[in-house]
Amino acid sequence: MNLVFVYGRGSARARLVTPPLTGTLLPGVTRDSLLTLGRELGIDAEQAPISTAQWRDDCASGELTEAFACGTAAVIAPIGRVRGAAGEWLVGDGRPGPVTLRLREELLGIQHGLRPDPYAWTHKVC
Ligand SMILES: Cc1ncc(COP(=O)(O)O)c(C=O)c1O
């Protein structure tokens, strides 16, 4: 899956950050859809590289508040805890955050035909 990070705490506007497509990442349709939906919801979306050390440090400072993986099969899988070579840490309070849940609800709503699809992403299969 592709990874997306949510920055911004308190009154700061939420901002999505996902690594750029430099050739080693799959240009996932879910990633692309969520960047579009985010902008539609007033959430700026930026493509920038992020190391695991930066992920850890930005969680520690409270700047990075949410993270999720995304792809067709899982839609959005919230990430609550990270464990790896850079250490072990919680993302936010370890539970799915509001931006993650909102994006998931919006995308599922379009997929299930419960919300308007202004992008013509859905197709009728007869
Ligand atoms: C390596 C990799 N990255 C990302 C994705 C997500 O892509 P999509 O959103 O098009 O399902 C997949 C899905 O199979 C994948 O295999």
Side-chain angles (χ1 to χ4, degrees):
M1 292 192 279
N2 292 111
L3 282 178
V4 180
F5 305 92
V6 183
Y7 279 81
R9 57 179 165 173
S11 58
R13 227 168 96 161
R15 181 167 55 94
L16 302 180
V17 179
T18 193
L21 301 174
T22 52
T24 54
L25 296 179
L26 194 89
V29 67
T30 316
R31 170 188 183 278
D32 193 50
S33 304
L34 291 171
L35 294 178
T36 300
L37 277 180
R39 290 192 193 98
E40 179 76 16
L41 297 172
I43 305 168
D44 290 335
E46 173 188 325
Q47 299 187 45
I50 174 170
S51 66
T52 45
Q54 188 185 344
W55 185 0
R56 178 198 62 210
D57 294 349
D58 291 349
C59 284
S61 72
E63 294 298 316
L64 195 165
T65 51
E66 303 175 35
F68 58 83
C70 64
T72 302
V75 185
I76 283 183
I79 299 169
R81 179 185 295 273
V82 186
R83 186 166 54 197
E88 183 171 354
W89 63 95
L90 276 185
V91 181
D93 64 3
R95 290 177 296 183
V99 174
T100 301
L101 294 175
R102 177 81 199 279
L103 287 168
R104 187 171 185 281
E105 189 184 314
E106 291 289 334
L107 186 57
L108 281 174
I110 292 174
Q111 289 178 348
H112 294 168
L114 302 171
R115 288 175 194 269
D117 173 13
Y119 315 103
W121 288 339
T122 51
H123 299 273
K124 259 208 166 77
V125 181
C126 304

